[in-house]
């Protein structure tokens, strides 16, 4: 084989969550109340616009969660097959030009020369050699222009216009396909179905999806057209492309936001339901537990746990065959620690809702007929709590992404070798103090993290309004 598949723990968890989410979505569609709630989400323009943007981030994260080790070139047929120590992903293979074309140091976005001057020897007309400080040409950025750097603006404009035309063409094809599909389902002409889409009179908010898709194509296609020969968002101190770092940061944010739920859910649901249903000493013990945990400053608790985990990792290097496995374990440890410190809020909400549900007549009737407590919890209590669980999980995603950025900024986040929004912001801290100031790393990390968090928050608001029985009943 030309590569050796590598399955990291975070890969298995994120694919498990993706598959489990798909299955749960299919199962919830069979439930009439849940199906009605998801239809309300689908009819929301804000919800579908944010979901379209989130799906792009999710696609990037899934591509970065298929890892392998490339095969090394052997000297002869008799030598055993050897694989590289470096672990790459499918995203690395797709973005190979971004990953491999590194410059010497900083370069501004779309620049053809370095950002810092270097001393070079110049021979004047008299044949004398003297030193001169100049901005050297980049090795890869704009190299296709040769000595004709003056045509950079023309080349950039031509690529942007070509990519923009392609974006409009693709959007037209997608819009035509959607209108044909809706026309067949509603038995109307394609022109009528397109008018329904444009006016927002369809059950599903297709107009919001198409507008968001068009905006994404108009942004992404020019960036992809330019990143082949330019550094669109510049390079960092070691000459690595900032756009590549942004793409790699998406998976870290998704792992932090999604995998942490695997720790949060069992604790919050289990303890919250038990405290609200059985009351008495069970309720007292669980309340004491989450009250005590909530009283401890979260940053201090996370810092202590991360430092202890780092000591364990440093003292057991034999556990890891590659640096990627080492960084992956620290990432999972951070997810576990964040989950242990973030379950208390959801647990408190579920306890209060369970206290209310257990007093309803159909619950008391089931108890009077001798129905087992476990059956009551699974058949009657838990299904009526799922709207709170869904709302809390979607709303907590953006908070967890921001928490990783803050923790990595103070040095207790992900492994330094792992690229994330937090490590990019942390590295940009010193870049802002230099002269001239290097601003593009921080700006790019902030812009993409802002887009991810904003889309998650908007989608969370729509999910909350759709699944909350009070707002759903009012609408």
């Amino acid at each position: 084989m030309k590569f050796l598949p590598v399955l990291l723990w975070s890969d298995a968890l994120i694919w498990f969550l993706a598959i489990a989410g798909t299955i749960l979505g299919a199962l919830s569609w069979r439930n009439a109340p849940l199906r009605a709630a998801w239809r309300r989400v689908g009819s929301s323009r804000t919800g579908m616009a944010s979901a379209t943007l989130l799906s792009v981030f999710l696609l990037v994260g899934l591509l970065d969660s298929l890892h392998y080790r490339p095969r090394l070139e052997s000297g002869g047929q008799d030598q055993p097959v050897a694989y590289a120590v470096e672990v790459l992903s499918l995203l690395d293979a797709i973005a190979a030009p971004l990953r491999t074309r590194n410059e010497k140091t900083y370069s501004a976005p779309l620049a053809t020369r370095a950002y810092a001057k270097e001393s070079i020897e110049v021979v004047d007309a008299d044949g004398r050699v003297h030193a001169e400080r100049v901005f050297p040409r980049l090795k890869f950025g704009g190299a296709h222009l040769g000595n004709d750097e003056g045509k950079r603006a023309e080349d950039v404009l031509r690529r942007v216009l070509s990519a923009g035309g392609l974006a409009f063409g693709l959007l037209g094809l997608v819009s035509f396909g959607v209108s044909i599909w809706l026309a067949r389902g509603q038995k109307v002409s394609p022109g009528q179905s397109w008018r329904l889409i444009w006016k927002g009179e369809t059950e599903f908010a297709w107009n919001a999806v198409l507008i968001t898709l068009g905006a994404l194509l108009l942004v992404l296609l020019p960036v992809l057209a330019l990143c082949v020969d330019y550094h669109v968002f510049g390079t960092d101190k070691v000459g690595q492309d900032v756009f590549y770092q942004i793409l790699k940061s998406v998976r870290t944010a998704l792992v932090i936001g999604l995998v942490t739920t695997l720790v949060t859910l069992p604790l919050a649901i289990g303890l919250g339901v038990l405290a609200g249903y059985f009351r008495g000493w069970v309720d007292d013990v669980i309340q004491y537990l989450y009250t005590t945990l909530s009283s401890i400053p979260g940053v201090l608790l996370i810092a202590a746990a991360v430092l202890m985990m780092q000591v364990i990792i440093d003292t057991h290097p034999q556990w890891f065959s590659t640096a990627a496995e080492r960084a992956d374990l620290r990432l999972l440890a951070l997810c576990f620690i964040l989950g242990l410190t973030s379950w208390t809020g959801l647990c408190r909400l579920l306890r209060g809702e369970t206290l209310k549900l257990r007093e309803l007549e159909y619950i008391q009737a089931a108890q009077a007929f001798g129905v087992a407590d476990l059956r009551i919890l699974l058949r009657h209590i838990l299904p009526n709590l799922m709207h709170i669980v869904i709302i809390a999980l979607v709303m907590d995603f953006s908070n967890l992404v921001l928490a990783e950025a803050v923790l990595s900024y103070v040095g207790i986040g992900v492994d330094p070798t792992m690229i994330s929004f937090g490590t990019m912001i942390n590295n940009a801290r010193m870049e802002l103090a230099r002269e001239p100031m290097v601003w593009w790393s921080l700006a790019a990390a902030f812009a993409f993290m802002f887009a991810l968090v904003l889309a998650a928050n908007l989608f969370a608001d729509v999910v909350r309004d759709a699944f909350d029985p009070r707002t759903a009943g009012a609408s």
Side-chain angles (χ1 to χ4, degrees), residues 204-391:
F204 186 80
W206 281 111
N207 55 349
V209 173
L210 293 176
I211 292 174
T212 307
L213 181 62
L216 289 173
L217 289 175
L218 287 174
V219 172
L220 294 179
L221 289 185
V223 170
L224 294 178
L226 291 170
C227 72
V228 177
D229 294 306
Y230 296 96
H231 301 292
V232 181
F233 297 107
T235 57
D236 63 357
K237 186 176 182 179
V238 296
Q240 192 175 42
D241 194 279
V242 174
F243 184 41
Y244 173 73
Q245 296 180 12
I246 291 293
L247 294 176
K248 297 293 289 184
S249 300
V250 172
R251 176 184 181 272
T252 305
L254 292 178
V255 171
I256 292 289
L258 297 177
V259 175
T260 305
T261 59
L262 289 180
V263 182
T264 303
L265 277 182
L267 291 173
I269 296 177
L271 296 180
V273 171
L274 291 177
Y277 183 78
F278 290 105
R279 298 186 298 184
W281 67 269
V282 176
D283 187 20
D284 295 337
V285 170
I286 295 175
Q287 280 194 79
Y288 178 80
L289 179 62
Y290 68 65
T291 303
T292 303
L293 191 60
S294 300
S295 64
I296 303 175
V299 175
L300 296 180
L301 186 62
I302 293 172
V306 168
L307 291 176
M308 288 189 294
M309 187 64 192
Q310 188 61 40
V311 171
I312 296 175
I313 293 175
D314 293 338
T315 54
H316 297 84
Q318 68 277 6
W319 290 356
F320 316 103
S321 58
T322 61
E325 295 180 2
R326 174 190 175 98
D328 187 67
L329 180 61
R330 176 161 174 171
L331 176 62
L332 291 181
L334 181 61
C335 294
F336 182 77
I337 295 164
L338 287 173
L340 287 179
T341 56
S342 61
W343 62 270
T344 55
L346 180 58
C347 180
R348 187 182 290 110
L349 287 175
L350 295 180
R351 171 188 171 273
E353 189 69 14
T354 305
L355 284 173
K356 182 182 71 175
L357 290 175
R358 76 180 307 277
E359 301 299 330
L360 297 180
E361 294 180 355
Y362 69 93
I363 299 293
Q364 294 183 352
Q367 293 173 341
F369 280 106
V371 180
D373 291 332
L374 181 61
R375 186 175 180 84
I376 293 176
L377 291 174
L378 296 178
R379 290 290 302 273
H380 303 295
I381 299 294
L382 195 57
N384 289 286
L385 298 176
M386 291 312 297
H387 68 282
I388 297 179
V389 175
I390 294 174
I391 293 170

Side-chain angles (χ1 to χ4, degrees), residues 136-182:
R137 280 294 301 269
L138 297 177
K139 184 178 180 181
F140 299 103
H144 66 290
L145 297 175
N147 296 325
D148 198 0
E149 296 181 63
K151 291 186 177 180
R152 183 189 63 171
E154 179 184 349
D155 181 60
V156 170
L157 181 61
R158 178 180 57 82
R159 291 172 183 243
V160 170
L161 293 178
S162 300
L166 179 60
F168 280 111
L170 291 176
L171 180 61
L173 289 176
V174 174
S175 302
F176 180 74
V178 172
S179 61
I180 291 295
W181 179 68
L182 289 179

Side-chain angles (χ1 to χ4, degrees), residues 117-133:
K117 288 185 176 182
E118 293 183 2
S119 297
I120 61 172
E121 293 183 350
V122 179
V123 180
D124 56 17
D126 299 332
R128 291 178 298 180
V129 179
H130 64 277
E132 183 178 343
R133 292 187 61 80

